[in-house]
């Protein structure tokens, strides 16, 4: 879904002033990192490590894991495609609606893909369909913002030992709900946990992600990884971010309170159903009209960008996704949507 993601301000002639379409929180002071990378720019004259051993080692120390339990990738997206390639041709289930790259990667590598919209319960003995060998879920989930309880996931994993679970925790920094730690996930021999430095530090242009898992499971992935997939500047950035722990200015608790305020304000318009969320973004359903029309109106008339979510599997033309911004910008969005409703 290369053309289906948010952050597509380039499509509009009017400059975008407020971007609700991206889940990356962009108000992070990266001036120190930028200066550091400028100082190390000469590194582009040499090949990086064939595999980013040094950065993997630092991440392993941070997560209290052996180095063999960490695999750094060119963004979480490379991790997704690497996993799909490693387990090529298997029977895969994906908990929908969710990030489309899981299905795209799996179909590219010959998986037989099934969509699931309901998880098994205790009454089902937590059992997935017997033919499934790989199960993908995003937690917190994109685009819904929902979080699956850690205790439930533990039951699901333990009752399905024949299944490899891919749990994408790219948005783990943006929720207060308990999630698997890397050590907890690595305890299982059938869990691959995905992480995103892109989301945590707001560096999408650098493409930095990593997988943590049991050593034996990660060793299978390493046999398929492409050498030099993580460039020298990205490695240097990762080492800097870990050493200095560049602060994200967010108070997560306050940010989620503002998210709740925005959700309530949107529902008060009367024309929207906003799904419950445990993170900073939310899925919204129009009671009338199309998300594409609202998106064009907001961009062209107000300089506001939202994410048309109609291309997520299981959703239709009335869905869009937004990520919480400042209180003033959030109020501006609510007012602009109210004005659009008045045109009907």
């Amino acid at each position: 879904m290369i053309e289906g993601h948010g952050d597509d301000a380039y499509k509009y002639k009017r400059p975008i002033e407020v971007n609700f379409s991206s889940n990356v929180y962009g108000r992070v002071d990266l001036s120190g990192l930028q200066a550091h990378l400028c100082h190390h720019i000469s590194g582009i004259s040499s090949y990086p490590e064939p595999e980013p051993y040094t950065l993997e080692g630092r991440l392993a120390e941070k997560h209290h894991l052996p180095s063999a339990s960490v695999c750094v990738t060119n963004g979480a997206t490379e991790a997704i495609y690497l996993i799909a390639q490693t387990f090529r041709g298997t029977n895969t289930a994906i908990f929908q609606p969710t990030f489309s790259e899981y299905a795209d990667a799996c179909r590219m590598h010959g998986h037989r893909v099934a969509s699931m919209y309901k998880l098994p319960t205790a009454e089902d003995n937590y059992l997935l369909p017997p033919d499934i060998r790989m199960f993908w879920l995003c937690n917190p989930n994109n685009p819904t913002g929902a979080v699956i309880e850690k205790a439930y996931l533990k039951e699901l994993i333990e009752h399905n030992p024949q299944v490899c679970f891919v749990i994408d925790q790219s948005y783990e920094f943006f929720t207060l709900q308990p999630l698997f730690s890397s050590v907890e996930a690595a305890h299982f021999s059938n869990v691959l946990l995905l992480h995103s430095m892109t989301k945590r530090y707001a560096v999408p242009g650098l493409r930095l992600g990593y997988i943590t898992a049991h050593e034996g499971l990660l060793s299978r992935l390493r046999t398929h990884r492409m050498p030099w997939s993580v460039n020298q500047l990205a490695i240097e950035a990762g080492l800097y971010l870990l050493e200095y722990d560049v602060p994200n200015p967010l108070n997560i608790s306050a940010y989620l309170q503002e998210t709740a305020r925005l959700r309530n304000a949107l529902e008060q318009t009367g024309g929207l159903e906003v799904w419950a969320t445990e993170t900073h973004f939310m899925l919204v359903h129009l009671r009338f009209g199309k998300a594409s029309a609202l998106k064009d109106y907001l961009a062209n008339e107000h300089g506001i960008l939202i994410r048309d979510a109609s291309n997520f599997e299981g959703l239709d033309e009335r869905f869009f996704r937004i990520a919480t911004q400042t209180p003033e910008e959030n109020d501006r969005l609510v007012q602009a949507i109210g004005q659009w409703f008045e045109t009907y």
Side-chain angles (χ1 to χ4, degrees):
M1 195 171 62
I2 293 175
E3 295 297 328
H5 295 290
D7 228 359
D8 51 354
Y10 58 86
K11 294 182 179 179
Y12 298 95
K13 293 182 179 180
R14 173 171 177 164
I16 296 299
E17 300 165 11
V18 189
N19 184 3
F20 288 86
S21 75
S22 172
N23 291 338
V24 176
Y25 183 83
R27 294 178 175 87
V28 180
D29 181 9
L30 295 173
S31 57
L33 172 63
Q34 292 163 358
H36 180 78
L37 292 181
C38 287
H39 182 71
H40 288 80
I41 194 67
S42 62
I44 64 174
S45 299
S46 303
Y47 279 96
E49 297 170 343
E51 295 183 13
Y53 310 110
T54 304
L55 181 53
E56 288 175 349
R58 298 283 179 84
L59 283 164
E61 291 175 6
K62 175 182 177 181
H63 291 289
H64 307 290
L65 290 169
S67 295
S69 285
V70 180
C71 179
V72 171
T73 56
N74 184 8
T77 300
E78 188 201 3
I80 292 165
Y81 280 80
L82 179 61
I83 292 167
Q85 178 187 10
T86 301
F87 295 91
R88 184 178 184 85
T90 196
N91 289 347
T92 285
I94 301 172
F95 187 51
Q96 301 280 7
T98 197
F99 190 44
S100 66
E101 297 295 346
Y102 309 144
D104 290 349
C106 287
R107 292 191 176 105
M108 177 183 289
H109 292 288
H111 291 229
R112 293 168 290 280
V113 180
S115 295
M116 291 182 61
Y117 293 89
K118 182 180 178 182
L119 293 171
T121 65
E123 293 181 355
D124 307 313
N125 203 27
Y126 301 103
L127 293 177
L128 291 166
D131 61 327
I132 297 302
R133 292 296 176 267
M134 176 161 278
F135 188 65
W136 298 70
L137 56 88
C138 188
N139 202 40
N141 185 41
N142 175 22
T144 66
V147 172
I148 301 172
E149 291 184 2
K150 184 166 68 170
Y152 170 83
L153 282 179
K154 187 172 183 292
E155 294 286 353
L156 191 64
I157 293 164
E158 290 179 344
H159 282 80
N160 296 273
Q162 79 286 1
V163 176
C164 179
F165 289 84
V166 184
I167 304 175
D168 186 349
Q169 289 190 178
S170 288
Y171 298 102
E172 58 195 342
F173 177 73
F174 297 93
T175 187
L176 296 176
Q177 298 302 308
L179 303 174
F180 275 137
S181 70
S182 296
V183 170
E184 288 172 326
H187 170 75
F188 299 104
S189 62
N190 60 331
V191 173
L192 293 161
L193 202 61
L194 275 57
H195 311 267
S196 174
M197 296 184 79
T198 291
K199 306 297 189 302
R200 169 65 178 85
Y201 296 105
V203 288
L206 284 173
R207 313 307 305 136
L208 263 178
Y210 58 100
I211 310 165
T212 56
H214 187 277
E215 297 176 45
L217 190 56
L218 268 191
S219 67
R220 294 186 61 181
L221 267 64
R222 294 183 195 281
T223 63
H224 292 88
R225 72 185 305 182
M226 183 180 73
W228 301 300
S229 69
V230 183
N231 69 74
Q232 183 62 39
L233 287 182
I235 293 172
E236 190 62 46
L239 294 172
Y240 176 91
L241 291 169
L242 290 177
E243 181 175 356
Y244 294 101
D245 194 23
V246 174
N248 191 309
L250 279 176
N251 177 313
I252 298 299
S253 180
Y255 192 35
L256 295 182
Q257 288 176 14
E258 176 60 20
T259 299
R261 188 189 73 85
L262 172 59
R263 180 172 180 257
N264 181 66
L266 289 169
E267 289 188 324
Q268 291 301 313
T269 65
L272 301 170
E273 175 191 358
V274 189
W275 289 26
T277 181
E278 298 288 354
T279 187
H280 65 299
F281 55 83
M282 64 195 79
L283 186 64
V284 187
H285 183 245
L286 287 164
R287 299 189 189 279
F288 53 86
K290 295 183 179 180
S292 58
L294 174 61
K295 176 183 177 181
D296 289 343
Y297 168 81
L298 292 173
N300 292 323
E301 300 298 325
H302 296 274
I304 295 173
L305 188 64
I306 63 173
R307 164 69 153 93
D308 179 355
S310 60
N311 59 346
F312 282 92
E313 184 170 337
L315 303 184
D316 61 28
E317 61 190 10
R318 295 187 178 184
F319 283 93
F320 65 94
R321 189 199 68 201
I322 56 172
T324 304
Q325 304 301 314
T326 68
E328 295 76 19
E329 291 168 340
N330 296 334
D331 290 342
R332 181 176 168 182
L333 172 67
V334 173
Q335 183 179 16
I337 291 176
Q339 292 175 10
W340 184 70
F341 285 150
E342 291 173 1
T343 65
Y344 275 83

